[in-house]
Amino acid sequence: MSANRFVAKPADAGESLVAVAQTRYALSNIRRGPGTNYADIGDILDNSLLVYFPNTRTTDNWLWVEKGGLKGWLYAGYVEFTPAIGAQPPTHPKTPYDGKIALWHWKGLAVPQKTIADLLKDIRAKAPAISQIWVKISDGAKWMGEYDSGALAINGREDIDRWVAACHRAGFEFHAWAVPHGLRIEAEARLIIEACTRAGVQSLILDIEREKGNYWQGGAAAVRPFMLQLRRGLGNRYHIGMSVDPRPQQYRTVFPHEWSPFIDSVHPQTYWQIFRKSPEDALSSVWTTWGGFDKPIIPVFPGGAETQEQIEAHTLATQLHGAKGLSWWRYGTIARWQGVDRPIEITTSPADPEAPPRENFAEQVIILPTKSGFRSGTYTGKAEFSARANTWGWEYLYVGTAERTSKVWAEWRQKLPQNGLYEIAVFVPNRRATTTRARYKVHGVVGAASEVVIDINQNQHRNSWVSLGIFDLDRGQDNAGRVFLNDVTGEPDKFIAFDAIRFRRIVSTPTGYLPAPEPTRGRRPTRVNGVYVADGYDSPIGTSEQRRADRLWPPGWRDASPFGRRYFRGTPSEAYHTGADLNFGSPYEDKGMACYACASGVVTFAASLAVWGNVVVIRHDPLFHPSGRVLYSRYGHVQQIRVRVGERVARGQRICEISDAFGRFVPHLHFDLSATTILERQPGNWPKLNFSALMKNYVDPLDWIRKHRN
């Protein structure tokens, strides 16, 4: 029987059902027929929304499924189909957010647009599904204009009216949000009431977090008097929501039972990147922690997260947990809109073809402290900076914060390859970064009269990239591509870190673009519409001729511990293996042999880890076209690393050598592939005996490379 023969959907397939497919594996194959002897035509990811036909189930447990234009047979033994909630009526009291997608706006200085109309026009063009704009009106007893400037700043009721009118003309609802401090209760409440009683202000969201000096500082005793003031001014029918850090350890710090009588909805800041969790685990924790609060849960999601994770979070929140609304933090940090621009209710069939991504990243440059493109100095004439080794493999600088007078400064300067939109992000290390107000200044932004100032709470982040925003940069302007930071934060007894800066140019896919057809043998492009793409995968070891040959692994090489094998049985090291342990010849013969990038991509980690020794992680380009599958590869126990974080590598480029983790192991290359972002968040991830975690995050490297050699 030919593997390419196609078995069509049965004529008596019966009724279709929309479901969330919760899979045992990171990638589950859709095949041309009901069996592994049929060709693989595509994959579905864990927590994907799809259509399946229960009546097509075969005696050996294959089902007909349809997902994003793919139609074929899926083995149901490894998939649990959970019915999607879809458009079922809500079980909680109605809120202004039901059926709506909202976008948070922080301040005008943090966005490239200079008028409200231009900002709203851009949102409408990029995300038609968004219907609400949540605008920050105040911080403590001050209008937000105290921290902003320009036409988007809010300094009083007239500015509220301008925003409301502009939103109405553009087809958006205006909702207010504020950060109360609980210190000047009457003044804070009076300002919020003045804003929210203006015509067209639909609701209020209070950002209640426990962070000394920036958020709620009034303790439990101030909650009731503050909320009584608000309710007297706004009435009991006016909807007030509360946005919180949803982690279990933060629950009691915001005094939820004090707020409960006055609050109508809760908006958990479900930032799985900061929490170092998957979207699934983060959302499960949200409902476990805040489900007992007995208020409608309307999650807040990170706009800068990976698109596939955004889609997964959207699906889980709306179709499993029953959230009737969502919001995205924040405008100005969203580079790719495909995951954001999705309605709450299912309006089209998950079986329909999905549109390709409209935005993607092109060139990327990372400027490391003390390296080319970085300068620093002091105003005191003394050596003020201290240096520390970064967990990610480079050295960074830090210093104690200054309240008013700066002692040090640093700048990162990138020569722009061309004009256009750039995402600029900063790396925050896990040590000596405790300031809540690192004030980065971005220069050369089109339309800005001076630098754009972005405050970053370094204390919230650990070994992660944090977006400053999306900026329209003109390389012809003075200081274009320059980021500046000093030590003035207004805080005593904190540390501020001066770490890496990343520039990523954003390109838009032309309207009408269609992905490439099914891959065939032969040369494929490595860039499509300005986006780098992977033209295939190869073995990470062997000569160039061997890596191009049909045999995997090359002659003389063997895999001592194949994917999924349980090894070191009966010892503390017992585990399921995440990839391949590649050896050549007799023991120690392969030490010093070259390792090569299995596909094109960008290095995300290159440093030493406990137990592992030296490790390299590469985030590979999307396979064949901009909407193709993105994988991460890891090369463990190596030596002589030739690449650094942020460097682009080509397929087959030499990146390191096989070694022994500083004598811990017999020399070999540990090589694995992940279909999730687990290796970007945790380069040393090791699921040990958690077989479910293994299968949800890793794929068999031998099988993947064999199928995607091209």
Side-chain angles (χ1 to χ4, degrees), residues 102-136:
L103 185 61
W104 296 69
H105 169 69
W106 175 33
K107 62 179 182 178
L109 286 176
V111 302
Q113 289 78 19
K114 300 308 166 190
T115 69
I116 301 172
D118 285 345
L119 180 147
L120 298 176
K121 180 180 178 182
D122 187 61
I123 296 171
R124 176 61 69 215
K126 290 177 176 173
I130 291 174
S131 58
Q132 299 180 340
I133 309 298
W134 296 359
V135 180
K136 187 174 183 182

mmCIF file of all heavy atoms in Angstrom, residues 102-136:
data_model
loop_
_atom_site.group_PDB
_atom_site.id
_atom_site.type_symbol
_atom_site.label_atom_id
_atom_site.label_comp_id
_atom_site.label_asym_id
_atom_site.label_seq_id
_atom_site.Cartn_x
_atom_site.Cartn_y
_atom_site.Cartn_z
ATOM 1 N N ALA A 102 -9.985 43.381 24.781
ATOM 2 C CA ALA A 102 -9.548 44.720 25.180
ATOM 3 C C ALA A 102 -8.037 44.840 25.066
ATOM 4 O O ALA A 102 -7.302 43.847 25.131
ATOM 5 C CB ALA A 102 -9.990 45.020 26.610
ATOM 6 N N LEU A 103 -7.584 46.075 24.913
ATOM 7 C CA LEU A 103 -6.153 46.373 24.828
ATOM 8 C C LEU A 103 -5.830 47.476 25.827
ATOM 9 O O LEU A 103 -6.502 48.510 25.864
ATOM 10 C CB LEU A 103 -5.804 46.824 23.408
ATOM 11 C CG LEU A 103 -4.325 47.061 23.087
ATOM 12 C CD1 LEU A 103 -3.517 45.786 23.269
ATOM 13 C CD2 LEU A 103 -4.174 47.571 21.657
ATOM 14 N N TRP A 104 -4.801 47.241 26.643
ATOM 15 C CA TRP A 104 -4.388 48.230 27.639
ATOM 16 C C TRP A 104 -3.496 49.289 26.984
ATOM 17 O O TRP A 104 -2.615 48.971 26.182
ATOM 18 C CB TRP A 104 -3.594 47.569 28.760
ATOM 19 C CG TRP A 104 -4.342 46.578 29.598
ATOM 20 C CD1 TRP A 104 -4.787 45.352 29.208
ATOM 21 C CD2 TRP A 104 -4.702 46.713 30.975
ATOM 22 N NE1 TRP A 104 -5.408 44.707 30.254
ATOM 23 C CE2 TRP A 104 -5.365 45.523 31.355
ATOM 24 C CE3 TRP A 104 -4.526 47.715 31.929
ATOM 25 C CZ2 TRP A 104 -5.851 45.316 32.644
ATOM 26 C CZ3 TRP A 104 -5.008 47.507 33.219
ATOM 27 C CH2 TRP A 104 -5.666 46.325 33.564
ATOM 28 N N HIS A 105 -3.721 50.557 27.367
ATOM 29 C CA HIS A 105 -2.829 51.653 26.973
ATOM 30 C C HIS A 105 -2.261 52.267 28.242
ATOM 31 O O HIS A 105 -3.001 52.630 29.163
ATOM 32 C CB HIS A 105 -3.584 52.713 26.170
ATOM 33 C CG HIS A 105 -2.792 53.976 25.975
ATOM 34 N ND1 HIS A 105 -1.667 54.029 25.184
ATOM 35 C CD2 HIS A 105 -2.952 55.229 26.495
ATOM 36 C CE1 HIS A 105 -1.164 55.255 25.215
ATOM 37 N NE2 HIS A 105 -1.925 56.006 26.005
ATOM 38 N N TRP A 106 -0.928 52.401 28.281
ATOM 39 C CA TRP A 106 -0.233 52.894 29.475
ATOM 40 C C TRP A 106 -0.021 54.402 29.407
ATOM 41 O O TRP A 106 -0.585 55.165 30.175
ATOM 42 C CB TRP A 106 1.086 52.136 29.605
ATOM 43 C CG TRP A 106 2.000 52.580 30.708
ATOM 44 C CD1 TRP A 106 1.646 53.075 31.931
ATOM 45 C CD2 TRP A 106 3.428 52.550 30.684
ATOM 46 N NE1 TRP A 106 2.765 53.349 32.678
ATOM 47 C CE2 TRP A 106 3.875 53.038 31.938
ATOM 48 C CE3 TRP A 106 4.371 52.149 29.753
ATOM 49 C CZ2 TRP A 106 5.228 53.141 32.259
ATOM 50 C CZ3 TRP A 106 5.715 52.239 30.068
ATOM 51 C CH2 TRP A 106 6.133 52.732 31.308
ATOM 52 N N LYS A 107 0.804 54.858 28.452
ATOM 53 C CA LYS A 107 1.048 56.293 28.327
ATOM 54 C C LYS A 107 1.525 56.607 26.920
ATOM 55 O O LYS A 107 2.078 55.751 26.216
ATOM 56 C CB LYS A 107 2.071 56.775 29.354
ATOM 57 C CG LYS A 107 3.459 56.167 29.225
ATOM 58 C CD LYS A 107 4.400 56.746 30.290
ATOM 59 C CE LYS A 107 5.815 56.182 30.152
ATOM 60 N NZ LYS A 107 6.738 56.767 31.153
ATOM 61 N N GLY A 108 1.310 57.849 26.513
ATOM 62 C CA GLY A 108 1.654 58.258 25.162
ATOM 63 C C GLY A 108 3.131 58.187 24.864
ATOM 64 O O GLY A 108 3.534 57.928 23.726
ATOM 65 N N LEU A 109 3.978 58.423 25.871
ATOM 66 C CA LEU A 109 5.419 58.387 25.653
ATOM 67 C C LEU A 109 5.926 56.991 25.309
ATOM 68 O O LEU A 109 7.055 56.845 24.850
ATOM 69 C CB LEU A 109 6.146 58.902 26.904
ATOM 70 C CG LEU A 109 6.085 60.408 27.150
ATOM 71 C CD1 LEU A 109 6.759 60.756 28.469
ATOM 72 C CD2 LEU A 109 6.732 61.177 26.002
ATOM 73 N N ALA A 110 5.098 55.973 25.539
ATOM 74 C CA ALA A 110 5.534 54.594 25.309
ATOM 75 C C ALA A 110 5.065 54.037 23.974
ATOM 76 O O ALA A 110 5.248 52.851 23.710
ATOM 77 C CB ALA A 110 5.029 53.703 26.441
ATOM 78 N N VAL A 111 4.462 54.875 23.126
ATOM 79 C CA VAL A 111 3.962 54.404 21.834
ATOM 80 C C VAL A 111 4.477 55.320 20.735
ATOM 81 O O VAL A 111 4.790 56.492 20.981
ATOM 82 C CB VAL A 111 2.417 54.349 21.812
ATOM 83 C CG1 VAL A 111 1.905 53.440 22.912
ATOM 84 C CG2 VAL A 111 1.812 55.736 21.945
ATOM 85 N N PRO A 112 4.564 54.820 19.501
ATOM 86 C CA PRO A 112 5.102 55.656 18.420
ATOM 87 C C PRO A 112 4.136 56.718 17.912
ATOM 88 O O PRO A 112 4.567 57.728 17.363
ATOM 89 C CB PRO A 112 5.432 54.637 17.319
ATOM 90 C CG PRO A 112 4.581 53.450 17.607
ATOM 91 C CD PRO A 112 4.395 53.419 19.085
ATOM 92 N N GLN A 113 2.809 56.510 18.068
ATOM 93 C CA GLN A 113 1.836 57.464 17.541
ATOM 94 C C GLN A 113 1.791 58.731 18.403
ATOM 95 O O GLN A 113 1.976 58.667 19.623
ATOM 96 C CB GLN A 113 0.434 56.847 17.468
ATOM 97 C CG GLN A 113 0.281 55.797 16.385
ATOM 98 C CD GLN A 113 0.890 54.473 16.775
ATOM 99 O OE1 GLN A 113 1.114 54.212 17.951
ATOM 100 N NE2 GLN A 113 1.166 53.623 15.797
ATOM 101 N N LYS A 114 1.498 59.851 17.754
ATOM 102 C CA LYS A 114 1.483 61.129 18.456
ATOM 103 C C LYS A 114 0.082 61.707 18.616
ATOM 104 O O LYS A 114 -0.091 62.746 19.245
ATOM 105 C CB LYS A 114 2.383 62.140 17.721
ATOM 106 C CG LYS A 114 3.834 61.672 17.636
ATOM 107 C CD LYS A 114 4.378 61.289 19.006
ATOM 108 C CE LYS A 114 5.665 60.505 18.921
ATOM 109 N NZ LYS A 114 6.063 59.929 20.234
ATOM 110 N N THR A 115 -0.918 61.056 18.031
ATOM 111 C CA THR A 115 -2.303 61.489 18.220
ATOM 112 C C THR A 115 -3.151 60.280 18.594
ATOM 113 O O THR A 115 -2.818 59.135 18.249
ATOM 114 C CB THR A 115 -2.892 62.133 16.951
ATOM 115 O OG1 THR A 115 -3.054 61.120 15.940
ATOM 116 C CG2 THR A 115 -1.992 63.246 16.432
ATOM 117 N N ILE A 116 -4.251 60.544 19.283
ATOM 118 C CA ILE A 116 -5.164 59.465 19.657
ATOM 119 C C ILE A 116 -5.717 58.801 18.402
ATOM 120 O O ILE A 116 -5.817 57.569 18.318
ATOM 121 C CB ILE A 116 -6.310 60.006 20.536
ATOM 122 C CG1 ILE A 116 -5.757 60.648 21.808
ATOM 123 C CG2 ILE A 116 -7.287 58.892 20.886
ATOM 124 C CD1 ILE A 116 -6.807 61.379 22.632
ATOM 125 N N ALA A 117 -6.070 59.614 17.409
ATOM 126 C CA ALA A 117 -6.662 59.078 16.180
ATOM 127 C C ALA A 117 -5.707 58.117 15.480
ATOM 128 O O ALA A 117 -6.117 57.054 14.994
ATOM 129 C CB ALA A 117 -7.058 60.218 15.248
ATOM 130 N N ASP A 118 -4.418 58.474 15.416
ATOM 131 C CA ASP A 118 -3.448 57.600 14.750
ATOM 132 C C ASP A 118 -3.265 56.294 15.517
ATOM 133 O O ASP A 118 -3.120 55.219 14.920
ATOM 134 C CB ASP A 118 -2.107 58.316 14.615
ATOM 135 C CG ASP A 118 -2.118 59.371 13.521
ATOM 136 O OD1 ASP A 118 -3.054 59.351 12.694
ATOM 137 O OD2 ASP A 118 -1.206 60.216 13.501
ATOM 138 N N LEU A 119 -3.254 56.376 16.845
ATOM 139 C CA LEU A 119 -3.126 55.166 17.651
ATOM 140 C C LEU A 119 -4.303 54.228 17.402
ATOM 141 O O LEU A 119 -4.123 53.028 17.163
ATOM 142 C CB LEU A 119 -3.035 55.547 19.130
ATOM 143 C CG LEU A 119 -2.900 54.416 20.152
ATOM 144 C CD1 LEU A 119 -2.043 54.865 21.332
ATOM 145 C CD2 LEU A 119 -4.270 53.974 20.674
ATOM 146 N N LEU A 120 -5.513 54.769 17.441
ATOM 147 C CA LEU A 120 -6.700 53.942 17.248
ATOM 148 C C LEU A 120 -6.783 53.395 15.827
ATOM 149 O O LEU A 120 -7.219 52.254 15.612
ATOM 150 C CB LEU A 120 -7.952 54.754 17.580
ATOM 151 C CG LEU A 120 -8.049 55.253 19.034
ATOM 152 C CD1 LEU A 120 -9.278 56.134 19.208
ATOM 153 C CD2 LEU A 120 -8.077 54.092 20.013
ATOM 154 N N LYS A 121 -6.344 54.180 14.861
ATOM 155 C CA LYS A 121 -6.332 53.719 13.472
ATOM 156 C C LYS A 121 -5.403 52.523 13.311
ATOM 157 O O LYS A 121 -5.725 51.553 12.611
ATOM 158 C CB LYS A 121 -5.888 54.864 12.558
ATOM 159 C CG LYS A 121 -5.845 54.501 11.079
ATOM 160 C CD LYS A 121 -5.389 55.693 10.243
ATOM 161 C CE LYS A 121 -5.295 55.324 8.767
ATOM 162 N NZ LYS A 121 -4.806 56.492 7.960
ATOM 163 N N ASP A 122 -4.251 52.571 13.978
ATOM 164 C CA ASP A 122 -3.295 51.468 13.895
ATOM 165 C C ASP A 122 -3.860 50.204 14.537
ATOM 166 O O ASP A 122 -3.716 49.100 13.999
ATOM 167 C CB ASP A 122 -1.988 51.871 14.583
ATOM 168 C CG ASP A 122 -0.894 50.834 14.395
ATOM 169 O OD1 ASP A 122 -0.518 50.575 13.238
ATOM 170 O OD2 ASP A 122 -0.422 50.274 15.404
ATOM 171 N N ILE A 123 -4.515 50.356 15.681
ATOM 172 C CA ILE A 123 -5.117 49.194 16.351
ATOM 173 C C ILE A 123 -6.203 48.583 15.481
ATOM 174 O O ILE A 123 -6.279 47.356 15.318
ATOM 175 C CB ILE A 123 -5.685 49.600 17.722
ATOM 176 C CG1 ILE A 123 -4.558 50.059 18.648
ATOM 177 C CG2 ILE A 123 -6.456 48.440 18.357
ATOM 178 C CD1 ILE A 123 -5.044 50.678 19.945
ATOM 179 N N ARG A 124 -7.047 49.421 14.903
ATOM 180 C CA ARG A 124 -8.135 48.915 14.068
ATOM 181 C C ARG A 124 -7.593 48.153 12.861
ATOM 182 O O ARG A 124 -8.123 47.099 12.481
ATOM 183 C CB ARG A 124 -9.017 50.079 13.606
ATOM 184 C CG ARG A 124 -10.138 49.703 12.656
ATOM 185 C CD ARG A 124 -11.116 48.724 13.294
ATOM 186 N NE ARG A 124 -11.887 49.347 14.348
ATOM 187 C CZ ARG A 124 -12.281 48.718 15.458
ATOM 188 N NH1 ARG A 124 -11.939 47.456 15.651
ATOM 189 N NH2 ARG A 124 -12.996 49.333 16.371
ATOM 190 N N ALA A 125 -6.504 48.655 12.271
ATOM 191 C CA ALA A 125 -5.934 47.998 11.093
ATOM 192 C C ALA A 125 -5.298 46.660 11.448
ATOM 193 O O ALA A 125 -5.379 45.705 10.677
ATOM 194 C CB ALA A 125 -4.904 48.917 10.438
ATOM 195 N N LYS A 126 -4.679 46.576 12.620
ATOM 196 C CA LYS A 126 -3.932 45.374 12.971
ATOM 197 C C LYS A 126 -4.768 44.336 13.706
ATOM 198 O O LYS A 126 -4.450 43.145 13.655
ATOM 199 C CB LYS A 126 -2.718 45.756 13.826
ATOM 200 C CG LYS A 126 -1.658 46.505 13.029
ATOM 201 C CD LYS A 126 -0.501 46.953 13.890
ATOM 202 C CE LYS A 126 0.577 47.619 13.035
ATOM 203 N NZ LYS A 126 1.658 48.210 13.858
ATOM 204 N N ALA A 127 -5.808 44.764 14.401
ATOM 205 C CA ALA A 127 -6.587 43.819 15.209
ATOM 206 C C ALA A 127 -8.058 44.221 15.222
ATOM 207 O O ALA A 127 -8.544 44.798 16.197
ATOM 208 C CB ALA A 127 -6.031 43.754 16.629
ATOM 209 N N PRO A 128 -8.796 43.920 14.160
ATOM 210 C CA PRO A 128 -10.222 44.272 14.115
ATOM 211 C C PRO A 128 -11.043 43.647 15.238
ATOM 212 O O PRO A 128 -12.126 44.153 15.559
ATOM 213 C CB PRO A 128 -10.669 43.738 12.747
ATOM 214 C CG PRO A 128 -9.423 43.664 11.932
ATOM 215 C CD PRO A 128 -8.330 43.329 12.893
ATOM 216 N N ALA A 129 -10.546 42.558 15.841
ATOM 217 C CA ALA A 129 -11.307 41.904 16.914
ATOM 218 C C ALA A 129 -11.330 42.726 18.196
ATOM 219 O O ALA A 129 -12.191 42.519 19.055
ATOM 220 C CB ALA A 129 -10.728 40.518 17.200
ATOM 221 N N ILE A 130 -10.397 43.662 18.353
ATOM 222 C CA ILE A 130 -10.357 44.481 19.570
ATOM 223 C C ILE A 130 -11.484 45.506 19.531
ATOM 224 O O ILE A 130 -11.661 46.215 18.542
ATOM 225 C CB ILE A 130 -8.993 45.176 19.713
ATOM 226 C CG1 ILE A 130 -7.910 44.137 20.019
ATOM 227 C CG2 ILE A 130 -9.024 46.241 20.806
ATOM 228 C CD1 ILE A 130 -6.510 44.694 20.035
ATOM 229 N N SER A 131 -12.232 45.580 20.628
ATOM 230 C CA SER A 131 -13.357 46.520 20.678
ATOM 231 C C SER A 131 -13.282 47.476 21.858
ATOM 232 O O SER A 131 -14.071 48.411 21.943
ATOM 233 C CB SER A 131 -14.683 45.750 20.745
ATOM 234 O OG SER A 131 -14.711 44.900 21.881
ATOM 235 N N GLN A 132 -12.341 47.244 22.784
ATOM 236 C CA GLN A 132 -12.234 48.105 23.962
ATOM 237 C C GLN A 132 -10.795 48.579 24.135
ATOM 238 O O GLN A 132 -9.857 47.805 23.947
ATOM 239 C CB GLN A 132 -12.655 47.347 25.225
ATOM 240 C CG GLN A 132 -14.091 46.861 25.215
ATOM 241 C CD GLN A 132 -14.452 46.127 26.497
ATOM 242 O OE1 GLN A 132 -13.581 45.648 27.233
ATOM 243 N NE2 GLN A 132 -15.745 46.031 26.777
ATOM 244 N N ILE A 133 -10.631 49.845 24.517
ATOM 245 C CA ILE A 133 -9.332 50.401 24.866
ATOM 246 C C ILE A 133 -9.385 50.785 26.338
ATOM 247 O O ILE A 133 -10.244 51.570 26.757
ATOM 248 C CB ILE A 133 -8.988 51.641 24.013
ATOM 249 C CG1 ILE A 133 -9.177 51.339 22.520
ATOM 250 C CG2 ILE A 133 -7.566 52.100 24.301
ATOM 251 C CD1 ILE A 133 -8.285 50.249 21.982
ATOM 252 N N TRP A 134 -8.468 50.215 27.125
ATOM 253 C CA TRP A 134 -8.391 50.514 28.553
ATOM 254 C C TRP A 134 -7.242 51.495 28.758
ATOM 255 O O TRP A 134 -6.075 51.154 28.543
ATOM 256 C CB TRP A 134 -8.164 49.243 29.364
ATOM 257 C CG TRP A 134 -9.299 48.254 29.264
ATOM 258 C CD1 TRP A 134 -10.460 48.392 28.565
ATOM 259 C CD2 TRP A 134 -9.366 46.967 29.877
ATOM 260 N NE1 TRP A 134 -11.253 47.278 28.706
ATOM 261 C CE2 TRP A 134 -10.604 46.383 29.512
ATOM 262 C CE3 TRP A 134 -8.507 46.249 30.701
ATOM 263 C CZ2 TRP A 134 -10.992 45.120 29.947
ATOM 264 C CZ3 TRP A 134 -8.900 44.988 31.135
ATOM 265 C CH2 TRP A 134 -10.135 44.434 30.765
ATOM 266 N N VAL A 135 -7.567 52.703 29.177
ATOM 267 C CA VAL A 135 -6.610 53.807 29.224
ATOM 268 C C VAL A 135 -6.308 54.170 30.673
ATOM 269 O O VAL A 135 -7.225 54.360 31.480
ATOM 270 C CB VAL A 135 -7.169 55.032 28.473
ATOM 271 C CG1 VAL A 135 -6.179 56.193 28.524
ATOM 272 C CG2 VAL A 135 -7.484 54.663 27.023
ATOM 273 N N LYS A 136 -5.024 54.302 30.991
ATOM 274 C CA LYS A 136 -4.641 54.674 32.355
ATOM 275 C C LYS A 136 -4.924 56.150 32.580
ATOM 276 O O LYS A 136 -4.434 57.012 31.848
ATOM 277 C CB LYS A 136 -3.163 54.381 32.606
ATOM 278 C CG LYS A 136 -2.772 54.586 34.072
ATOM 279 C CD LYS A 136 -1.343 54.157 34.366
ATOM 280 C CE LYS A 136 -1.038 54.313 35.856
ATOM 281 N NZ LYS A 136 0.361 53.951 36.187
#
